[in-house]
Amino acid sequence: LPYAVTGTTSGYTNDYDEVCPFTGSTAPDVVYSYTPSSNITVDIDLYGSYYDTKVYVYQGTCSNAYLVACNDDYYADYTSAIFGLALSGGYTYYIVVDGYGTSSGDYVFNLSEFQACDVVCPPEGIPEGETPCADEYVDTYNGGCNSNPVVFQTINCNTTICGTSGTYLFTGLEYRDTDWFRVVITSPTTLTWKAVAEFPVLIFVMNGGTENCSDYTILGNITANPCDTATLTFDVQPGVYWL
């Protein structure tokens, strides 16, 4: 490790499928094997792949393997990742690159050792204030257009927010906690939005339009690895913007 490779599932056969949380994959899949010499925690990342991926990890033998972990849509572009997966030394693990439904194509596969990351709130940081999410959680705090009714957290420029995020099960399906912040711009300016997290983070800047979640415009988005800073900068006109 680290191991990074590009490949394709096109032309292969469909051998595997798992519920994570969707099933019914008939897409071709490719398998990698990895045998760590000692206990290790790893990250498996398919970000940058060119189709709707799924990824599974099995341990055991080909005739008697059991599922260790799986993921379908970690990223907003429907590519997959599994982070912080603990593996035992001396055992062989099988990592399956698959696709949702019939999706197949070129993929990017990265296997690396997990690096612990500790993000500390600075003295000027303001707590986000949202209740930690748990199974069957309903976000009535700042879920933005993902909540019903929609709800945003209004912040001011030159503000640092310290919050948390994660995943949870709702009616048996896995959801991620998304935090939507609302900022009002009163004069033409350069808007800069930064975020750093203990997990791979994805941030957006949107023009909120009339704020009814039907006429907004995505100005841009970017991802960053744990402890790296994601930054977006745009010249904007007066209006309401969602971060």
Side-chain angles (χ1 to χ4, degrees):
L1 302 185
Y3 180 79
V5 69
T6 58
T8 183
T9 58
S10 298
Y12 288 84
T13 58
N14 171 45
D15 293 305
Y16 305 97
D17 185 32
E18 292 294 340
V19 180
C20 55
F22 306 106
T23 187
S25 171
T26 59
D29 37 58
V30 172
V31 185
Y32 294 86
S33 65
Y34 172 59
T35 307
S37 58
S38 59
N39 293 349
I40 190 173
T41 301
V42 300
D43 293 335
I44 302 167
D45 197 353
L46 301 187
Y47 184 73
S49 299
Y50 291 90
Y51 71 99
D52 189 346
T53 63
K54 294 176 73 173
V55 63
Y56 326 128
V57 180
Y58 297 98
Q59 194 269 312
T61 64
C62 283
S63 61
N64 188 29
Y66 65 90
L67 183 69
V68 175
C70 69
N71 178 261
D72 186 355
D73 299 332
Y74 187 90
Y75 294 104
D77 64 353
Y78 306 112
T79 54
S80 313
I82 300 171
F83 293 101
L85 178 62
L87 305 180
S88 298
Y91 292 90
T92 298
Y93 295 86
Y94 300 94
I95 304 169
V96 181
V97 179
D98 200 0
Y100 173 79
T102 60
S103 298
S104 64
D106 296 336
Y107 61 82
V108 176
F109 173 68
N110 287 281
L111 177 65
S112 58
E113 184 172 3
F114 169 77
Q115 301 295 325
C117 171
D118 185 20
V119 174
V120 178
C121 185
E124 72 275 13
I126 299 172
E128 174 201 359
E130 181 179 12
T131 301
C133 56
D135 289 350
E136 308 308 319
Y137 177 68
V138 177
D139 190 348
T140 60
Y141 190 79
N142 61 6
C145 294
N146 292 333
S147 292
N148 186 17
V150 299
V151 57
F152 300 89
Q153 183 174 352
T154 298
I155 61 174
N156 297 317
C157 289
N158 302 312
T159 299
T160 299
I161 304 293
C162 299
T164 60
S165 189
T167 61
Y168 57 95
L169 294 178
F170 187 80
T171 64
L173 301 179
E174 187 178 57
Y175 288 77
R176 68 180 185 272
D177 174 42
T178 59
D179 300 329
W180 296 57
F181 300 99
R182 176 182 182 270
V183 61
V184 179
I185 301 299
T186 58
S187 61
T189 189
T190 299
L191 175 65
T192 298
W193 168 231
K194 298 181 179 181
V196 59
E198 295 176 351
F199 51 87
V201 66
L202 168 65
I203 65 172
F204 290 82
V205 172
M206 306 178 184
N207 184 324
T210 58
E211 298 192 84
N212 60 11
C213 290
S214 65
D215 64 348
Y216 64 84
T217 302
I218 298 176
L219 301 185
N221 65 83
I222 194 171
T223 61
N225 292 323
C227 277
D228 289 341
T229 300
T231 303
L232 291 171
T233 299
F234 298 97
D235 292 328
V236 298
Q237 298 299 314
V240 174
Y241 293 85
W242 298 334
L243 316 178

